[in-house]
Amino acid sequence: MAKQISVFLENKAGRLSHVTRVLGEADINIRALSIADTSDFGILRIIVNDPEKAYTILKEAGFTVSETEVIAVQVPDSPGGLARVLEQMSEESLNIEYLYAFLGSSEDDALVIFKVEDFEKARSTFKEKGIKFLDEKLLYKL
Amino acid sequence: MAYWDQEKECMPREELEKIQLRRLKEIVFRVYAFVPAYKEKMDQAGIKPDDINKLEDIKNLPFTTKQDLRDNYPFGLFATPMSEVIRIHSSSGTTGKPTVVGYTRRDIEIWAELMARALSSAGATKRSVIQNSYGYGLFTGGLGVHYGAERLGASVIPSSGGNTKRQIMLMQDFGTTELTCTPSYALFMHEVMQEMGVKPADLKIKAGVFGAEPWSENMRREIENKLEIDAYDIYGLSEIIGPGVAIECNAKSGLHIAEDHFLAEIIDPISGQVLEDGNEGELVITTITKEALPLIRYRTRDLSSLNREECECGRTHARMGKVLGRSDDMVIIRGVNVFPSMVESVLLDIPGVEPYYLLVVDRKDNLDFLEVQVEISEKLFSDEVRKLEELGTLINKELESALGIGVKVRLVEPKSIERSEGKARRVIDKRKI
């Protein structure tokens, strides 16, 4: 389990640079990021070293922010690694809302951030199938 | 039930109409004798002051428009010499030459009386602490409310508009019981209160008297829930006298027009024909006691309706319906009339949507487009594109079914739409620029 910070961004020049500047000035390091975009707006999703602080700072700066629970899954860093994990999830009908890669790795594994529909089910499935996922404390320190 | 002047406010209609007719005759005589522009208009229409024998005869008199005020800029329509005029107010003149209005000492007295009536109708008394956050200056809002609140004997805080944090500090420290400002500014104050960590429940404020811009019933609910007060609508326009022309009572079902000073009609804005009570149309007002600037059948451009039935509050003066919009606020898009208040009403019916919106009208390839910008609130935000798009689609569908035209909804960041400390700007029409 980990906390992702999600930020609403209008499709306007300079908005992304503003968010990142605010975070940088507060000494917050971005560890993973993805942007979902439509023609009018985007949603920035980030994993940072200090999610609580990031949430407060961004709120104070006037952004619409939310905290979202995600899972950082350790995926073998070799061909077919992600495919295997996804197949196992699909067998259990675990629905994925979205996923994106983490900018670092844990041991020999690549890290992929998953937002799933049903957390508890995901957790138990991962344990059952031997899919490793990272504790949030370790994740923020990476 | 608290009246300021029960005898006048609850006068039997028969008696009221006698007074109205006497005053109407007087004012028509006066403008015919002292205002050349009126003499000319009446001569052209073939009507003499002697032709006014009953109240219905008013329909034969020519209308006065904002353009007449501009054509006679600045003092051409004044019916008294300048030596009798003790106050001048003016519009901002953003859409052309400003309109200038003047008051004699008696006009100012009557205005203060009417404002005291209005504040009483909203429950204010001499024990009230009234924070007046309408702008002071050429705009009639600030000084109009101020004189009325003093007449009432309340303690007035002349805080004017702006410096919102200080406004809230005054509210806390001075124990404001009534707030007077535009409805959009009231909501902005609530936003700032939240930022400051001030809870409305900890304040003494009980009621607000809001006006100077059209606002919907949904906006009233929003203000009442957020600020935990009673919100009353007040109507007025500087050309007629300023705020205090009409005010809601606690029945909140229409605004009582001070009919001992103003005659109201509803007309079809296109044909100019007087409409029966209950029909929606343009409000036309004749001032029957004004000295410095009497106006005959002034076309307010405000859309409303009239109800002369008895009100549960006991007042006999006719009620006008909450103003639906101004015809100059109205935008015509592909032949359909769209009022910002209609958009506001739709938005506030969707849970979690804040009443911050902007209508942007543009023309592309000779086709008009309406974009409605809506601020996304914390409550509505989701990290999933799908959910935000569903929200956009929902707003879109609701707006299209209410307005009857295609709309593009754009979700924008919170606080990106300009906040107003006076009248909110709701429409940007790029077609004219």
Side-chain angles (χ1 to χ4, degrees), chain B residues 262-373:
Chain B
F262 310 112
L263 292 189
E265 303 166 85
I266 293 289
I267 62 160
D268 178 325
I270 296 160
S271 71
Q273 289 299 309
V274 178
L275 301 176
E276 297 273 313
D277 285 358
N279 288 303
E280 278 172 10
E282 182 180 334
L283 180 67
V284 169
I285 297 179
T286 301
T287 67
I288 50 176
T289 53
K290 276 275 281 304
E291 291 182 335
L293 181 62
L295 291 180
I296 306 294
R297 304 192 84 199
Y298 184 70
R299 295 190 58 160
T300 64
R301 300 281 161 201
D302 286 320
L303 300 172
S304 182
S305 58
L306 282 178
N307 175 4
R308 275 177 244 260
E309 282 161 30
E310 209 169 294
C311 179
E312 62 180 68
C313 76
R315 289 179 181 83
T316 52
H317 293 188
R319 279 170 287 168
M320 58 181 271
K322 224 170 176 338
V323 171
L324 309 164
R326 279 186 66 80
S327 50
D328 28 6
D329 242 13
M330 181 181 83
V331 279
I332 302 176
I333 298 158
R334 280 172 259 158
V336 177
N337 299 349
V338 175
F339 290 100
S341 56
M342 293 157 80
V343 172
E344 179 182 295
S345 205
V346 170
L347 291 180
L348 287 177
D349 265 341
I350 301 169
V353 173
E354 302 280 338
Y356 296 111
Y357 60 93
L358 186 66
L359 278 62
V360 183
V361 192
D362 206 353
R363 181 168 290 166
K364 279 175 203 146
D365 305 327
N366 291 319
L367 250 188
D368 292 344
F369 284 94
L370 172 65
E371 176 181 277
V372 178
Q373 297 186 358

